[in-house]
Amino acid sequence: MLLLAGPMSICHACGDDLRAALPLTIPILDQKSFLETVEFLKSLESNHRGSFRFGFSFHAILHQQCRLILSERAAPGFREFIRERLNCPDVHLVSGRSSFETRTIVERHQVLGMAMWIMSDLQKRLKLAWESRAVKYNALLKDLDSPPQRFVSFARQFNRSRTKGT
């Protein structure tokens, strides 16, 4: 079955040309993660040619970090943990179970900036978050369809029930 889709520059809901929208300033929460975000966006623009670093695994884990930052149930302290380390103001996020994709552009920029900060040193920063009890082992893999095996192997160290018996 072939799905019909219009250009991505046209809003699916109202038909407005998104290229004509006024640009918003993107908050820079951390210089290193901002530069990595720029590199990531350039890889999307070139369809990942020359950069295997931003493959499917990266996208899956980045999306999971965004989910955790937005989650009020699975990881309620995760956003605060990141915010404190970045010393950035809290952006009012609409409460509820809205997915990342349905959030306002301001919310998405803030959440993506926070997630990219985690991703820029994933092993160290997730470990710090876990040690601070800002994120739990089960939340790291929750709702992550076909998680990358390297991420699963890495996340296993955060399973407290496994580490108690060792």
Side-chain angles (χ1 to χ4, degrees):
M1 175 204 259
L2 183 62
L3 297 175
L4 298 177
M8 290 184 66
S9 60
I10 304 300
C11 176
H12 74 283
C14 67
D16 282 350
D17 188 341
L18 300 174
R19 295 171 293 184
L22 294 174
L24 293 174
T25 303
I26 298 171
I28 299 175
L29 304 178
D30 172 74
Q31 189 64 32
K32 180 184 176 196
S33 58
F34 175 75
L35 294 174
E36 288 191 14
T37 302
V38 170
E39 187 181 336
F40 170 62
L41 293 172
K42 285 180 181 178
S43 80
L44 290 173
E45 186 176 59
S46 65
N47 203 18
H48 300 295
R49 285 189 296 270
S51 177
F52 296 106
R53 180 171 163 223
F54 300 117
F56 179 75
S57 294
F58 181 88
H59 288 268
I61 297 167
L62 176 64
H63 193 259
Q64 179 68 354
Q65 299 314 301
C66 290
R67 271 193 212 140
L68 291 175
I69 290 166
L70 289 168
S71 172
E72 296 169 1
R73 289 181 40 168
F78 195 48
R79 182 172 57 244
E80 185 62 22
F81 167 83
I82 298 168
R83 198 184 70 66
E84 285 176 0
R85 270 135 194 94
L86 290 173
N87 194 27
C88 67
D90 196 16
V91 168
H92 174 70
L93 299 175
V94 176
S95 56
R97 296 184 58 171
S98 300
S99 67
F100 173 77
E101 293 80 6
T102 62
R103 300 288 179 149
T104 69
I105 191 119
V106 172
E107 289 175 304
R108 285 182 280 159
H109 278 304
Q110 181 80 5
V111 170
L112 190 57
M114 295 172 103
M116 285 299 291
W117 178 78
I118 288 287
M119 295 296 290
S120 68
D121 197 349
L122 184 69
Q123 293 185 358
K124 177 183 171 191
R125 292 179 177 158
L126 272 187
K127 184 174 185 187
L128 281 172
W130 177 77
E131 288 171 344
S132 300
R133 298 192 181 273
V135 69
K136 295 178 182 175
Y137 165 72
N138 63 339
L140 292 175
L141 301 173
K142 183 178 176 17
D143 301 324
L144 188 57
D145 297 331
S146 304
Q149 191 54 47
R150 282 181 45 200
F151 185 69
V152 172
S153 297
F154 161 70
R156 280 193 184 123
Q157 70 180 302
F158 305 125
N159 186 343
R160 292 188 199 278
S161 63
R162 187 183 72 85
T163 56
K164 284 180 188 174
T166 311

